[in-house]
Amino acid sequence: MNSGPILVVGLGCQRGCLASTLRALLDQALLAHGIALDQVRALASIDLKRDEPGLLELAEQLALPLTCFSAEQLADYRERLSHRSEIAFERTGCYGVAESAALALADKLGTTPATLLIPRLSGPMSTLALALAL
């Protein structure tokens, strides 16, 4: 495994969101922050999206693992979010899928507590956040 910072992309999306829509949001976010795609180590989301075709297709295209967490696991990150969405909570049981999932996976993969490098960004039918751990 390559050493250095661990960058994890958290993704949330509505049903039927296309991989191309998620990829466009990802590319835009990375470009804006001067981050190369090959620095991203993994993708994360909520287990409600485990079978979401667009997410699975994106993970396959990028050859990155997709890890999904339960709402209970993600709810623990409530205090660390930059944005808490009541709508997300009503629909999923956590206050923000993209940020929570990114933090959860970066925490799991890293040895330091994860921080949000890119707070929640919204795109068409999708949200993205990028977490960093060492």
Side-chain angles (χ1 to χ4, degrees):
M1 205 67 187
N2 53 358
S3 58
I6 294 166
L7 297 177
V8 174
V9 172
L11 293 163
C13 64
Q14 295 172 23
R15 286 262 166 249
C17 183
L18 300 174
S20 57
T21 301
L22 293 166
R23 177 66 189 264
L25 184 61
L26 175 61
D27 289 345
Q28 173 194 334
L30 295 178
L31 184 66
H33 290 82
I35 298 166
L37 183 59
D38 65 6
Q39 292 178 269
V40 175
R41 203 77 72 82
L43 305 178
S45 193
I46 192 167
D47 58 9
L48 296 169
K49 300 295 175 189
R50 177 165 295 163
D51 301 322
E52 188 60 40
L55 264 181
L56 295 172
E57 187 182 326
L58 180 69
E60 193 175 302
Q61 281 175 10
L62 300 176
L64 289 172
L66 171 65
T67 302
C68 295
F69 295 91
S70 70
E72 292 74 32
Q73 289 171 302
L74 297 182
D76 292 343
Y77 287 86
R78 178 176 61 243
E79 298 307 317
R80 291 167 64 184
L81 304 182
S82 73
H83 171 91
R84 287 187 273 288
S85 166
E86 291 296 331
I87 293 170
F89 185 76
E90 285 170 25
R91 291 184 183 162
T92 66
C94 74
Y95 284 96
V97 170
E99 287 188 354
S100 301
L103 287 167
L105 186 55
D107 271 355
K108 191 170 151 184
L109 297 176
T111 55
T112 62
T115 55
L116 286 172
L117 194 58
I118 302 177
R120 179 182 179 272
L121 292 174
S122 292
M125 297 179 70
S126 56
T127 56
L128 173 146
L130 184 78
L132 164 74
L134 298 173

